[in-house]
Amino acid sequence: SGGGAGGAGGGGSASVGVRVSDIQREIDLYIQRQLRVENAGASYADTRANMYSQLQAIYGQPGADTSLESVYNSFTSSLQTLSTSPDDPGARTAVVNSAQLLTQQLNQLSGDIQSLRANAELGIADAVNKANEAMTQIASLNQQIAAANPGDAATGALQDQRDSYID
């Protein structure tokens, strides 16, 4: 039987393969830039909404018995009652009780807001540390990319890593 060109051991065998001459990294820079801007905006909006939600929980729902508004209104009402009946011991007691409740509420609000502020400052410090680390990595990757051969697979991987740190 006759052997073909692809037969084993035949003198006419040919090898088939793929040679990669260059790797192209295709990125639409406008879309990438726009994606980064939109992600930053979404993160900002999410952070603001989270802070407003926490502040709302601290101040309480308007009209609720435990909200600052309600406690303050109770205090002013008790003062008005006392002003019309200064000799009434019940009115005096009501003013003292509502003043104590208002004081407690204000102290609690102050502590909660200070705690919220401290948490925000810790979050900012953490974000600054992450940003500094990312910039250090980006600078290192830029040096490696500058020293690498353009179109090389390793260069594309380095550029992808750099994009990840930029994001």
Side-chain angles (χ1 to χ4, degrees):
S1 80
S13 67
S15 65
V16 177
V18 176
R19 184 183 329 179
V20 176
S21 64
D22 198 11
I23 294 178
Q24 295 293 322
R25 188 170 179 260
E26 294 292 327
I27 294 178
D28 187 323
L29 295 177
Y30 173 77
I31 291 175
Q32 185 183 43
R33 196 171 321 132
Q34 195 63 29
L35 178 65
R36 287 178 178 150
V37 168
E38 295 302 325
N39 282 340
S43 179
Y44 173 75
D46 185 49
T47 301
R48 264 183 88 126
N50 186 22
M51 292 300 282
Y52 284 143
S53 175
Q54 290 179 40
L55 280 172
Q56 181 65 48
I58 290 171
Y59 284 114
Q61 292 294 328
D65 291 340
T66 57
S67 72
L68 178 59
E69 171 195 22
S70 295
V71 172
Y72 179 76
N73 287 340
S74 294
F75 175 66
T76 57
S77 293
S78 66
L79 285 176
Q80 288 173 351
T81 302
L82 181 62
S83 69
T84 59
S85 306
D87 295 331
D88 182 8
R92 291 177 186 173
T93 302
V95 167
V96 170
N97 289 340
S98 63
Q100 287 175 338
L101 185 60
L102 179 60
T103 302
Q104 290 171 353
Q105 182 82 3
L106 289 172
N107 286 334
Q108 180 68 38
L109 285 173
S110 177
D112 290 347
I113 290 172
Q114 290 302 323
S115 176
L116 186 62
R117 178 180 175 200
N119 288 339
E121 288 173 353
L122 286 174
I124 290 169
D126 185 48
V128 167
N129 287 337
K130 286 180 181 178
N132 285 337
E133 176 62 28
M135 287 187 276
T136 300
Q137 293 296 330
I138 291 167
S140 173
L141 288 166
N142 280 340
Q143 289 175 348
Q144 294 174 45
I145 291 167
N149 294 326
D152 187 15
T155 304
L158 291 171
Q159 289 171 329
D160 289 344
Q161 286 178 8
R162 179 182 62 191
D163 284 346
S164 174
Y165 282 112
I166 290 171
D167 291 343

